[in-house]
Amino acid sequence: MFADLYQQIILEHYRHPQNVGVVDGSLQVRNEHPSCGDKVLLSVCVDGDTVREVRFLGEGCSISQASLSMMTEAVKGLSVDEVRGLYEKFREMLHGHEPDEDALGDMVSLQGVSRFPARVPCATLGWETLFRALALESHEDNPGQPCE
Amino acid sequence: MFADLYQQIILEHYRHPQNVGVVDGSLQVRNEHPSCGDKVLLSVCVDGDTVREVRFLGEGCSISQASLSMMTEAVKGLSVDEVRGLYEKFREMLHGHEPDEDALGDMVSLQGVSRFPARVPCATLGWETLFRALALESHEDNPGQPCE
Amino acid sequence: MKAVADSLWKQVREDFPILAREVHGRPLVYLDNAATSLTPRPVLAAMNHYYEHANANVHRGLHTLSAEASEAFEQARDKVQRFIGARGRESVVFTRGATSALNLAARAWARPRLARGDVILVSELEHHANLVSWHIITKETGAKLRFIPLADDGTWRIDLLPELLQGPVKMVSVAHVSNVLGGINPVKEVIAQAHAVGAKVMIDAAQSVGHMPMDFQALDADFLAFSGHKMCGPTGIGVLCGKAELLDDMEPVEGGGDMIVHVGWEESTWNLLPYKFEAGTPPIAEAIGLGAACEFLGGIGLDRVRAHTQELTELAARTLDGMDGVHVYGPLVGRLGPVAFAVDGVHPHDVATLLDGEGIAVRAGHHCAQPLHTKLGASATARASFYITNQPEDVDRLVAGLQVVQEVFGVR
Amino acid sequence: MKAVADSLWKQVREDFPILAREVHGRPLVYLDNAATSLTPRPVLAAMNHYYEHANANVHRGLHTLSAEASEAFEQARDKVQRFIGARGRESVVFTRGATSALNLAARAWARPRLARGDVILVSELEHHANLVSWHIITKETGAKLRFIPLADDGTWRIDLLPELLQGPVKMVSVAHVSNVLGGINPVKEVIAQAHAVGAKVMIDAAQSVGHMPMDFQALDADFLAFSGHKMCGPTGIGVLCGKAELLDDMEPVEGGGDMIVHVGWEESTWNLLPYKFEAGTPPIAEAIGLGAACEFLGGIGLDRVRAHTQELTELAARTLDGMDGVHVYGPLVGRLGPVAFAVDGVHPHDVATLLDGEGIAVRAGHHCAQPLHTKLGASATARASFYITNQPEDVDRLVAGLQVVQEVFGVR
Ligand SMILES: Cc1ncc(COP(=O)(O)O)c(C=O)c1O
Ligand SMILES: Cc1ncc(COP(=O)(O)O)c(C=O)c1O
């Protein structure tokens, strides 16, 4: 039995996800894992170099949705570089390294995913999408708008 | 060693094939075994129900050429039904049955082919072609001409 | 009932050493047969025998190894021919799999015969192999797909067929057994009605051949496609069976060795059936393995294979649908193999992962049937699929596993 | 020299149990490697391990068996990628074989890009796989084939290349090593010159990959095609390796599962490379077997494989050509694998059958190169082809066998 994969904190985020919704006038990016059907619409506001606001509408398994919920909580207020650093730590954990508990907070609960290679993409869907958004944001002809 | 396959009589027919050539104005049929490249041009004259003349131009292995040579000798003067009966006996031998030595004559030397399934088509190339010719011959709008 | 299913499982389990495997400390319960079936010893033995004793290329060799390989390869074709009741061996074209077979018929038969506005009729429950292959062709030709709709219980609205067959319907291409809903579709009726309006019919038999008796001639389909790996055979091989007169009329899609009579500098002439469609070195070991799979299943008897599989499938469908908070998609009877289901409050992926923790292999996702899932209103489902390597106890294990799932998610 | 070749053979013979086989009471001498190579134990073991321990479908499964199968399958792709020096794994597309790979590039890259009058340059020594695939495309597009002619010694008239590359040459598709003449062709030079005029280059590497070191990036070819079964791998698998930017730009030929991102009712969107070209269940066991073959050959070292094979090939070519009444086609040096020859007064089929009687497996026919044989003025040749499973003694056995042939036919 995989009790350690499905920790209570994951299930709580799954049942009561944080930062659900769309921010008007924000940069919005859709993503989907075709093989499993997990979907997300991420809206992101970046102010200068700082991630101001992130919300999501998602559909998918507990791992992908809980991970999205935790990510939106964790990245708010961070600089783009800090977001990168945090993701690096998260990814290392998913690839079997000891987690940096202080940095990762709630996200440590996803450590068990590292034993399920097929589920790692679930845990990273939100992050992938976030980086796509940030890449668009920094792009010359940024299709997004400054947040209201 | 396969001395019994390559009997002297086969090699003689191979080196000195009988009935080589083309009969002017006869029914002519080409045939080829694409996988091995054995080729034949058979010319046949049928008079009523009797095979009057058969000649061939061929290219191929000792088995196919010797078998052609023997066939042209054997069928001359036979009725179409007799040709069929003879081929039946020949085929039975190639499929491992005891040969009817009286009927088959020289062709008994090809008995060894029965142990080499890959070579059976060599031994039957000429016969196949002969039956194609006879089928054309009996066809309504026979493209052949009476022999001179 | 359990006794019947039990006896077949007991008979064959020794042939599947993988059944002795443990997963996460629990004996494996393999319920992913619709994705690929397990492979019995005699099939592996036949392939290993080829590699260890007659390892040679076919058709073109005069030496002993090649003659033996060619004989084994062509005998495999004969076994397949008898297994599916094709009229002649020239109807049996070896392909890479069912997908390749469906694409071959779509490209070589349908494409040159379709004009803008022509219709290809499929159903709403098709596997991507029988949809995307057509999307490619409709894009190239301007022909259109039309769909046989599903009733609420996941069966075809066969009553609508006369209407659906109106207009320039050139081809009907439908699944014999759905890989999600598991229903055995009334293909015989479809074939009769389609032929009456002059349309050709292809049956995607990936989930039926090897699971129930198949008689291609009696069925009177024009084409039949299936894979080796779903019927105890190896990966890397499938079959397009077609009526010889249709195959004869088709141009080859791939060119190369073995499919030609004569190759000149600028052009070539084609070999006879079935070789015209088998360019290059064929999947030799795989064909031999598929032949052995036909013998293996034939030895059990396809009626028995079907009875066993259908009993377990329907038992599972009935039992799961009876559980609190569990819903089965599709019909509860007339069902062969797959049982797709939902657990309230738990995403199918989580169902699959937690069941894996119990040693139970099920699949979660859209099962290569996205449009069907749109119709079902679910982006994913969990699917348990049954075959001869299952026993009634597996249904008990599945039920117990689902109870664990519900407990972990607190939905009980 | 013999010592070198001897030592490799001694090292590997235990891996090939089939070498212990007798044919007509004589120990087997297998000289038909250009048709298909023998398959070593580690390759069979890798495939059997898949079937016996991780027998599941790939990519779509969350359960343990499927995760293991997916990992083994994708690791096999990585092994192939490293083995041929492709830049990334997305360049490695699994196909049914070299023939399928050549046809895929011809249909998906060349066909939509060719107009009437455009030229595809091949050479006079091509295998049917690299001719008939083009005959199909030229018929559909009105493009034309042009041929790099052969010099008398069976090597390319590379001096004519600048001239041959004039005009609308869109694609150059040539064999790396001829399966008849055995010469290692100067493909690097062809690639450089072709690129200079803007043509793409495909290398038919069916006889070179696994026989000599291959570095796709250094070679700078656009496409590379080869088969598993000619390099110690299984049947049923091959590879089209392509530059990612070219593959990216190509439409898929087959539609089905795994090659899509989203499937709607009327149309679909394609998955990333390499999956876009791998519709349906891939040849899973076969890919794993091919990966094992790469490891097996890599363990020996491709330089050693080449040195061994080339030494034996050239020894055989030299020795046979030195025999009274025997003539070797093609170059006597720079030769890897195949040695096609003629025995005066004896048809090649008879040569092959009599050698079989001596336990020696050679091939006779046109070796899927009819146009080349037209050029050689022979409708058929006999061919002995060498690889790592051969030893110098095999050349002695071949010579003795040919003496028997000459005796039987009284041509000595
Ligand atoms: C040079 C060459 N190209 C292509 C092929 C075709 O390979 P396959 O038959 O495995 O598709 C072969 C082998 O027959 C070959 O020797
Ligand atoms: C109904 C149906 N059709 C077609 C296929 C495609 O089979 P394959 O992936 O073996 O080509 C499958 C299996 O995935 C299937 O279930």
Side-chain angles (χ1 to χ4, degrees):
Chain A
M1 220 269 276
F2 293 165
D4 54 339
L5 175 61
Y6 291 98
Q7 300 201 2
Q8 274 314 314
I9 193 158
I10 297 179
L11 298 178
E12 264 155 40
H13 274 278
Y14 178 49
R15 286 195 211 106
H16 310 292
Q18 305 301 301
N19 301 310
V20 168
V22 180
V23 190
D24 275 347
S26 66
L27 187 69
Q28 295 174 16
V29 175
R30 271 175 208 288
N31 200 359
E32 179 176 352
H33 277 170
S35 62
C36 64
D38 286 353
K39 283 192 194 92
V40 63
L41 171 69
L42 200 73
S43 41
V44 182
C45 298
V46 181
D47 182 358
D49 193 45
T50 308
V51 176
R52 276 279 163 255
E53 181 67 282
V54 190
R55 300 232 176 121
F56 78 101
L57 293 177
E59 192 186 313
C61 65
S62 62
I63 305 295
S64 71
Q65 302 306 300
S67 178
L68 265 161
S69 169
M70 295 176 200
M71 177 191 81
T72 54
E73 286 196 313
V75 299
K76 239 183 272 187
L78 299 190
S79 75
V80 172
D81 275 352
E82 284 167 335
V83 172
R84 277 210 190 88
L86 186 60
Y87 182 48
E88 206 37 59
K89 292 190 162 132
F90 183 59
R91 279 228 321 204
E92 276 171 9
M93 177 184 79
L94 294 181
H95 287 91
H97 296 269
E98 267 311 299
D100 178 340
E101 308 211 353
D102 294 340
L104 292 170
D106 275 11
M107 295 189 287
V108 171
S109 63
L110 290 164
Q111 188 181 0
V113 175
S114 66
R115 293 191 294 112
F116 299 87
R119 301 303 296 277
V120 169
C122 308
T124 59
L125 172 66
W127 290 90
E128 258 176 37
T129 316
L130 177 60
F131 285 109
R132 280 202 207 165
L134 296 176
L136 283 178
E137 171 66 35
S138 68
H139 198 275
E140 295 281 296
D141 35 68
N142 171 1
Q145 318 240 325
C147 286
E148 271 130 47
Chain B
M1 221 271 277
F2 292 166
D4 55 339
L5 175 62
Y6 291 97
Q7 298 202 3
Q8 274 314 314
I9 192 159
I10 296 179
L11 298 177
E12 265 157 37
H13 273 278
Y14 178 49
R15 286 195 210 103
H16 310 291
Q18 305 301 301
N19 300 309
V20 168
V22 180
V23 190
D24 275 347
S26 66
L27 187 68
Q28 294 173 15
V29 175
R30 270 175 209 288
N31 200 359
E32 178 175 353
H33 277 168
S35 62
C36 64
D38 285 354
K39 285 192 194 89
V40 63
L41 170 69
L42 200 73
S43 41
V44 182
C45 298
V46 182
D47 183 358
D49 193 44
T50 308
V51 176
R52 274 280 163 258
E53 180 69 280
V54 189
R55 298 232 176 123
F56 77 102
L57 293 177
E59 192 186 312
C61 66
S62 63
I63 306 295
S64 71
Q65 302 305 301
S67 179
L68 265 162
S69 170
M70 294 177 199
M71 177 190 82
T72 55
E73 285 196 312
V75 300
K76 239 182 271 189
L78 298 191
S79 75
V80 172
D81 275 350
E82 283 166 335
V83 171
R84 277 214 189 83
L86 186 60
Y87 182 49
E88 206 36 57
K89 291 190 162 130
F90 183 58
R91 279 229 321 202
E92 276 170 9
M93 177 183 81
L94 294 181
H95 287 91
H97 296 267
E98 267 309 298
D100 179 338
E101 308 211 353
D102 292 342
L104 292 171
D106 276 7
M107 296 190 286
V108 171
S109 64
L110 289 164
Q111 187 181 1
V113 175
S114 66
R115 292 191 295 111
F116 300 87
R119 302 302 298 274
V120 169
C122 308
T124 58
L125 173 67
W127 290 90
E128 256 176 38
T129 316
L130 178 60
F131 285 109
R132 280 202 206 163
L134 294 177
L136 283 179
E137 171 66 36
S138 68
H139 198 274
E140 294 281 296
D141 37 67
N142 173 2
Q145 317 240 325
C147 289
E148 268 131 47
Chain C
M1 197 283 311
K2 289 207 175 192
V4 174
D6 240 8
S7 85
L8 176 50
W9 180 80
K10 283 204 181 106
Q11 176 187 326
V12 302
R13 62 192 272 206
E14 292 298 324
D15 287 321
F16 295 87
I18 196 171
L19 288 177
R21 194 188 148 152
E22 296 208 335
V23 167
H24 300 298
R26 308 287 309 269
L28 169 67
V29 173
Y30 186 75
L31 296 178
D32 197 16
N33 292 285
T36 202
S37 57
L38 302 173
T39 318
R41 279 188 217 275
V43 170
L44 299 181
M47 294 195 287
N48 285 323
H49 186 271
Y50 161 73
Y51 283 120
E52 286 166 6
H53 296 275
N55 197 171
N57 212 323
V58 294
H59 296 152
R60 285 161 276 165
L62 300 168
H63 59 80
T64 299
L65 261 53
S66 178
E68 289 176 9
S70 302
E71 198 183 334
F73 176 73
E74 292 301 343
Q75 277 178 358
R77 197 189 303 275
D78 295 336
K79 288 175 194 171
V80 172
Q81 179 209 330
R82 287 193 297 270
F83 190 76
I84 58 174
R87 170 164 302 178
R89 61 199 320 284
E90 69 277 7
S91 282
V92 178
V93 176
F94 287 126
T95 68
R96 205 186 61 232
T99 301
S100 244
L102 292 161
N103 277 275
L104 174 56
R107 182 164 293 278
W109 188 84
R111 192 191 182 291
R113 289 167 182 79
L114 289 177
R116 176 163 301 280
D118 281 347
V119 172
I120 302 138
L121 185 64
V122 298
S123 86
E124 289 185 339
L125 54 65
E126 300 308 323
H127 186 279
H128 290 169
N130 194 29
L131 281 176
V132 187
S133 46
W134 294 114
H135 290 166
I136 293 177
I137 302 297
T138 52
K139 207 166 158 191
E140 291 179 13
T141 58
K144 282 203 168 66
L145 282 180
R146 187 182 286 170
F147 294 85
I148 306 176
L150 294 182
D152 286 343
D153 67 348
T155 62
W156 283 345
R157 291 288 308 276
I158 191 91
D159 56 306
L160 298 178
L161 208 54
E163 203 174 306
L164 292 162
L165 284 169
Q166 277 169 21
V169 181
K170 293 284 161 65
M171 172 68 120
V172 179
S173 185
V174 288
H176 197 178
V177 171
S178 161
N179 69 316
V180 178
L181 305 177
I184 304 170
N185 297 311
V187 292
K188 241 190 120 83
E189 173 136 12
V190 172
I191 292 166
Q193 289 196 36
H195 281 172
V197 301
K200 300 297 179 211
V201 184
M202 174 147 69
I203 302 298
D204 173 358
Q207 298 290 347
S208 64
V209 167
H211 295 68
M212 55 191 280
M214 170 58 70
D215 185 337
F216 181 71
Q217 281 181 82
L219 191 63
D220 196 31
D222 298 290
F223 298 102
L224 186 84
F226 60 98
S227 280
H229 70 95
K230 294 190 200 279
M231 50 170 285
C232 296
T235 56
I237 189 148
V239 170
L240 177 68
C241 178
K243 285 183 177 166
E245 61 273 26
L246 296 178
L247 293 175
D248 239 344
D249 213 37
M250 286 152 57
E251 286 292 301
V253 172
E254 293 192 343
D258 259 21
M259 54 72 75
I260 50 84
V261 170
H262 189 80
V263 177
W265 297 104
E266 310 283 349
E267 53 186 11
S268 330
T269 53
W270 311 142
N271 201 342
L272 298 176
L273 293 178
Y275 307 108
K276 183 169 73 170
F277 297 107
E278 297 182 352
T281 302
I284 303 170
E286 292 74 11
I288 291 170
L290 178 57
C294 292
E295 277 187 334
F296 177 79
L297 291 168
I300 295 171
L302 271 293
D303 283 321
R304 245 181 109 207
V305 168
R306 174 184 174 154
H308 171 94
T309 306
Q310 190 167 347
E311 275 171 20
L312 283 184
T313 309
E314 293 177 355
L315 171 65
R318 215 163 45 234
T319 310
L320 264 55
D321 206 52
M323 286 177 77
D324 270 354
V326 179
H327 304 279
V328 166
Y329 298 93
L332 296 184
V333 294
R335 182 156 194 152
L336 191 65
V339 179
F341 61 93
V343 180
D344 291 344
V346 190
H347 191 276
H349 291 179
D350 296 317
V351 172
T353 296
L354 282 165
L355 288 178
D356 187 46
E358 304 296 313
I360 304 164
V362 305
R363 193 152 286 248
H366 52 57
H367 317 297
C368 292
Q370 284 185 4
L372 170 61
H373 278 76
T374 308
K375 178 89 180 184
L376 297 176
S379 70
T381 57
R383 182 188 71 185
S385 51
F386 295 81
Y387 199 29
I388 53 169
T389 44
N390 295 114
Q391 54 172 331
E393 203 192 297
D394 295 350
V395 178
D396 303 336
R397 288 275 305 276
L398 176 59
V399 169
L402 288 175
Q403 284 163 350
V404 171
V405 171
Q406 290 177 320
E407 261 160 43
V408 169
F409 272 73
V411 291
R412 266 185 95 200
Chain D
M1 196 284 310
K2 287 209 178 189
V4 175
D6 241 7
S7 84
L8 176 51
W9 179 80
K10 280 199 182 113
Q11 176 188 325
V12 302
R13 63 192 272 209
E14 292 299 324
D15 287 321
F16 294 88
I18 196 171
L19 288 177
R21 195 188 148 151
E22 298 207 331
V23 167
H24 300 297
R26 308 286 310 269
L28 169 67
V29 172
Y30 186 75
L31 296 177
D32 197 16
N33 292 285
T36 202
S37 57
L38 302 174
T39 317
R41 280 189 216 272
V43 170
L44 299 181
M47 293 194 288
N48 285 323
H49 185 271
Y50 161 73
Y51 284 120
E52 286 168 7
H53 295 275
N55 197 171
N57 213 323
V58 294
H59 297 151
R60 283 161 279 165
L62 300 169
H63 59 80
T64 299
L65 262 54
S66 178
E68 289 176 8
S70 302
E71 199 184 333
F73 176 71
E74 292 300 342
Q75 278 178 357
R77 197 189 304 275
D78 295 335
K79 289 174 193 172
V80 172
Q81 180 209 328
R82 287 193 298 270
F83 190 76
I84 58 175
R87 170 162 303 178
R89 61 201 319 286
E90 69 276 9
S91 283
V92 178
V93 176
F94 287 127
T95 67
R96 206 185 59 230
T99 301
S100 245
L102 292 161
N103 278 275
L104 173 56
R107 182 164 294 278
W109 188 85
R111 192 191 182 289
R113 290 165 183 80
L114 290 176
R116 176 164 301 282
D118 281 345
V119 172
I120 301 138
L121 185 63
V122 299
S123 86
E124 288 184 342
L125 55 66
E126 301 306 323
H127 186 278
H128 290 168
N130 193 29
L131 282 175
V132 186
S133 46
W134 294 114
H135 290 165
I136 293 177
I137 302 296
T138 52
K139 207 167 159 191
E140 290 179 13
T141 59
K144 282 202 167 69
L145 282 180
R146 188 182 285 169
F147 294 86
I148 305 175
L150 295 181
D152 286 345
D153 67 348
T155 62
W156 283 345
R157 290 289 309 276
I158 192 90
D159 56 306
L160 298 178
L161 207 53
E163 203 175 306
L164 291 163
L165 283 169
Q166 278 170 19
V169 180
K170 292 286 161 65
M171 174 66 124
V172 179
S173 186
V174 289
H176 197 178
V177 171
S178 160
N179 70 316
V180 178
L181 305 178
I184 304 171
N185 297 312
V187 290
K188 242 190 120 80
E189 172 136 12
V190 171
I191 292 166
Q193 290 196 36
H195 282 173
V197 302
K200 301 296 177 213
V201 184
M202 175 147 69
I203 302 298
D204 173 358
Q207 298 290 344
S208 64
V209 167
H211 295 67
M212 56 191 281
M214 169 60 69
D215 185 337
F216 182 69
Q217 282 180 81
L219 191 64
D220 196 31
D222 298 290
F223 298 102
L224 186 84
F226 60 97
S227 281
H229 71 94
K230 295 193 199 276
M231 50 171 283
C232 295
T235 56
I237 190 148
V239 170
L240 176 68
C241 178
K243 287 184 176 165
E245 61 272 26
L246 297 178
L247 293 174
D248 240 343
D249 212 39
M250 286 153 56
E251 287 290 302
V253 172
E254 293 192 344
D258 260 20
M259 55 72 74
I260 49 84
V261 171
H262 190 81
V263 178
W265 296 105
E266 309 283 350
E267 52 186 11
S268 330
T269 53
W270 312 143
N271 201 344
L272 299 176
L273 293 177
Y275 308 109
K276 184 169 72 173
F277 298 107
E278 296 183 352
T281 302
I284 303 170
E286 292 73 12
I288 292 169
L290 178 58
C294 291
E295 277 188 334
F296 177 79
L297 292 168
I300 296 170
L302 271 293
D303 283 320
R304 244 181 113 206
V305 168
R306 176 186 172 154
H308 171 96
T309 306
Q310 190 167 346
E311 276 171 20
L312 284 184
T313 309
E314 293 175 355
L315 170 67
R318 214 163 46 235
T319 311
L320 263 57
D321 206 52
M323 287 178 75
D324 271 354
V326 178
H327 305 277
V328 167
Y329 297 94
L332 297 184
V333 293
R335 183 157 194 152
L336 191 65
V339 179
F341 61 92
V343 179
D344 290 345
V346 190
H347 192 275
H349 290 180
D350 296 317
V351 172
T353 295
L354 281 164
L355 287 178
D356 187 45
E358 304 295 313
I360 304 164
V362 304
R363 194 153 284 251
H366 52 59
H367 316 297
C368 292
Q370 282 184 5
L372 170 62
H373 279 77
T374 308
K375 177 89 180 187
L376 298 176
S379 69
T381 57
R383 181 187 73 185
S385 50
F386 295 82
Y387 199 28
I388 53 169
T389 43
N390 295 114
Q391 54 172 330
E393 202 193 296
D394 294 350
V395 178
D396 303 338
R397 288 275 305 275
L398 176 59
V399 169
L402 288 174
Q403 285 163 349
V404 171
V405 171
Q406 291 177 319
E407 260 160 42
V408 169
F409 273 74
V411 290
R412 267 187 95 200

